[in-house]
Amino acid sequence: MDKNRVIGSAKQVKGAVKQAVGKAAGDSKLEAEGKADKVEGKVQNAIGGLKDTVKDALKGK
């Protein structure tokens, strides 16, 4: 498993927490930061998945 997948998943969780806290506290800036962290984590996770796919394909040759 590529390290980007692990880091991306962690960022998604962090973003979800920030978003929830921001929403509960009425802090729209914190909520927006949480949404941004979640998106960044999803992208990083997807990159890690692509790297894993490429590695697996190269091992198969």
Side-chain angles (χ1 to χ4, degrees):
M1 179 182 282
D2 188 78
K3 69 178 181 176
N4 283 309
R5 294 185 82 177
V6 174
I7 294 168
S9 293
K11 284 183 182 178
Q12 285 180 3
V13 171
K14 176 184 158 188
V17 170
K18 278 174 104 172
Q19 186 178 5
V21 170
K23 190 172 188 176
D27 186 345
S28 59
K29 183 181 177 207
L30 186 61
E31 188 176 353
E33 287 176 7
K35 286 180 185 179
D37 286 348
K38 282 174 55 176
V39 170
E40 184 181 348
K42 285 181 183 180
V43 170
Q44 192 166 8
N45 195 342
I47 290 170
L50 288 172
K51 285 183 178 180
D52 283 342
T53 301
V54 170
K55 286 179 190 176
D56 290 344
L58 292 175
K59 284 181 184 178
K61 285 190 173 183

